[in-house]
Amino acid sequence: MSQVSTDIAADVSKDELVVATHGQEPIVCLANRPAAIQRWLKRLPPRRRIGMEATSIYHAQLAERAYCRWSLRLFLQSTRGCPLPG
């Protein structure tokens, strides 16, 4: 039997990550710094998926650690080059 993965959404800025996990409270705020990200990732159970906007270079700290070190599935959203409706 396979386990169900849990989705996490991260709002990324230069200094802070605001993270929400589907079906859970509260929203978590942490510094967008390697040590803070590493501590947060260590507390996550396996089979997590993280979605984030590709925000300049500011998403790179979280993306690199989540994918390369923890093998979590990532979903990156970019609005660059996407035509706006209308």
Side-chain angles (χ1 to χ4, degrees), residues 8 30 36 38 41-42 50-52 56 61 64 68 75 82-83:
I8 297 170
L30 59 137
Q38 192 71 12
L41 287 171
K42 283 182 181 180
I50 301 177
M52 68 189 85
S56 183
Q61 298 278 2
E64 186 273 329
C68 295
F75 296 89
C82 294

Side-chain angles (χ1 to χ4, degrees), residues 23-86:
Q24 293 183 10
E25 294 284 337
I27 291 173
V28 176
C29 297
L30 59 137
N32 192 359
R33 302 287 178 267
I37 294 168
Q38 192 71 12
R39 282 191 303 273
W40 176 72
L41 287 171
K42 283 182 181 180
R43 294 193 315 250
L44 294 180
R47 299 191 51 83
R48 298 295 174 145
R49 300 184 299 189
I50 301 177
M52 68 189 85
E53 181 181 0
T55 308
S56 183
I57 60 169
Y58 304 125
H59 68 286
Q61 298 278 2
L62 175 58
E64 186 273 329
R65 278 159 185 77
Y67 182 74
C68 295
R69 297 186 185 181
W70 293 94
S71 300
L72 299 178
R73 291 182 67 189
L74 297 182
F75 296 89
L76 294 175
Q77 175 67 38
S78 175
T79 57
R80 175 172 263 170
C82 294
L84 295 175

